[in-house]
């Protein structure tokens, strides 16, 4: 019996020749793929851990160190704005001029404004430039400085007031305290001198309580946004 004859075969079946079947290992390639994948994952974890350690010990990422782009914008909070104080009614000189066909409006309006604390200048009819040409309630005419001063204060006393800045005539002598015969002031104006020209839409001044409340609101400080300190990032 040959040594290649399996036991129990009794010699009935024999393997002859010089070529024998080769036994292949199963699963070898799969193990190699798994081993390579595991190595790549291990290297990735090591690299990520190293980056985190560097980030901790250097105090932040490179984007934050370069310009703080990762930091949130600082929040804003409202704080009272410091505005130029408006003139008091007693410091505003009002020339009350009637541009309508209704008589007595200039004097009635001037008396009411005087009771509310305004200084009254000229009272009479409007100039030919504005006579019977003002369709609204009133037209406030004054210097450029009145836009942020006398105009808004006087506008609290009558609704729908329109404003117009008077352009001074070059070379005209200063006669701000004088008046023409038809009731209009001549020369460069003082900042707190305003013509209140009554138009066709005028009925009466605003109720005194409402005007007083509007004046208080006008003088109240306006909140303005200011940045607040943000936490470290």
């Amino acid at each position: 019996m040959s040594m290649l004859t399996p036991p129990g075969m009794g010699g009935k079946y024999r393997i002859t020749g010089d070529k024998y079947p080769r036994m292949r290992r199963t699963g070898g390639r799969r193990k190699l793929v798994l081993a390579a994948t595991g190595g790549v994952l291990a290297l990735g974890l090591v690299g990520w851990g190293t980056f985190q350690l560097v980030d901790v010990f250097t105090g932040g990422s490179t984007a934050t160190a370069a310009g703080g782009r990762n930091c949130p914008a600082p929040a804003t909070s409202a704080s009272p704005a410091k505005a130029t104080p408006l003139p008091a009614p007693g410091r505003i000189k009002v020339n009350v001029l009637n541009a309508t066909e209704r008589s007595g409006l200039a004097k009635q309006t001037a008396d009411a404004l005087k009771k509310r604390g305004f200084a009254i200048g000229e009272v009479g009819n409007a100039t030919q430039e504005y006579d019977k040409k003002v369709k609204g309630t009133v037209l406030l005419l004054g210097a450029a400085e009145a836009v942020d001063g006398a105009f808004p204060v006087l506008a609290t006393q009558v609704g729908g007031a329109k404003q117009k800045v008077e352009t001074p005539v070059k070379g005209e002598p200063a006669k701000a305290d004088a008046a023409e015969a038809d009731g209009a002031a001549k020369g460069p104006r003082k900042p707190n001198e305003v013509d209140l020209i009554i138009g066709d839409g005028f009925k009466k001044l605003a109720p005194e309580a409402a005007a007083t409340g509007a004046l208080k609101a006008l003088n109240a400080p306006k909140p303005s946004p200011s940045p607040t300190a943000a936490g470290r990032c």
Side-chain angles (χ1 to χ4, degrees):
M1 181 181 299
S2 172
M3 294 181 62
L4 298 176
T5 302
M9 299 296 294
K12 188 177 180 179
Y13 299 98
R14 295 184 178 183
I15 298 175
T16 61
D18 57 355
K19 295 183 179 180
Y20 306 102
R22 181 176 296 177
M23 304 300 292
R24 295 182 179 179
R25 295 181 180 180
T26 60
R29 182 176 299 176
R30 184 181 303 173
K31 291 181 180 179
L32 290 176
V33 172
L34 292 176
T37 304
V40 170
L41 291 176
L43 289 175
L45 289 175
V46 171
W48 181 81
T50 303
F51 177 81
Q52 293 297 318
L53 289 174
V54 172
D55 186 73
V56 169
F57 286 103
T58 56
S61 63
T62 56
T64 303
R69 291 190 296 269
N70 292 338
C71 298
T76 58
S77 61
S79 60
K82 295 180 180 179
T84 303
L86 297 172
R91 299 185 59 186
I92 300 176
K93 181 181 178 180
V94 185
N95 300 314
V96 185
L97 309 175
N98 186 5
T100 73
E101 295 181 348
R102 293 174 287 169
S103 62
L105 278 182
K107 186 177 185 308
Q108 294 174 10
T109 305
D111 291 343
L113 288 173
K114 186 176 181 179
K115 290 179 180 179
R116 299 185 183 188
F118 289 89
I120 303 301
E122 298 299 320
V123 179
N125 296 324
T127 61
Q128 185 178 359
E129 182 180 359
Y130 299 102
D131 189 30
K132 301 179 181 63
K133 297 177 183 178
V134 180
K135 303 303 179 183
T137 56
V138 299
L139 174 65
L140 303 180
L141 184 65
E145 295 84 354
V147 173
D148 297 323
F151 278 176
V153 174
L154 194 54
T156 61
Q157 308 300 311
V158 58
K162 294 185 178 180
Q163 304 174 5
K164 182 178 179 181
V165 174
E166 185 179 50
T167 304
V169 179
K170 292 183 179 180
E172 189 174 17
K175 296 180 181 178
D177 296 329
E180 292 180 318
D182 54 5
K186 291 182 63 178
R189 286 183 183 273
K190 294 180 180 180
N192 290 340
E193 182 181 4
V194 178
D195 285 356
L196 187 147
I197 305 175
I198 301 174
D200 294 334
F202 179 82
K203 301 298 182 183
K204 60 181 179 179
L205 295 177
E208 188 171 359
T212 302
L215 189 58
K216 288 182 179 179
L218 189 65
N219 286 310
K222 305 296 187 297
S224 62
S226 59
T228 57
R232 296 180 62 186
C233 59

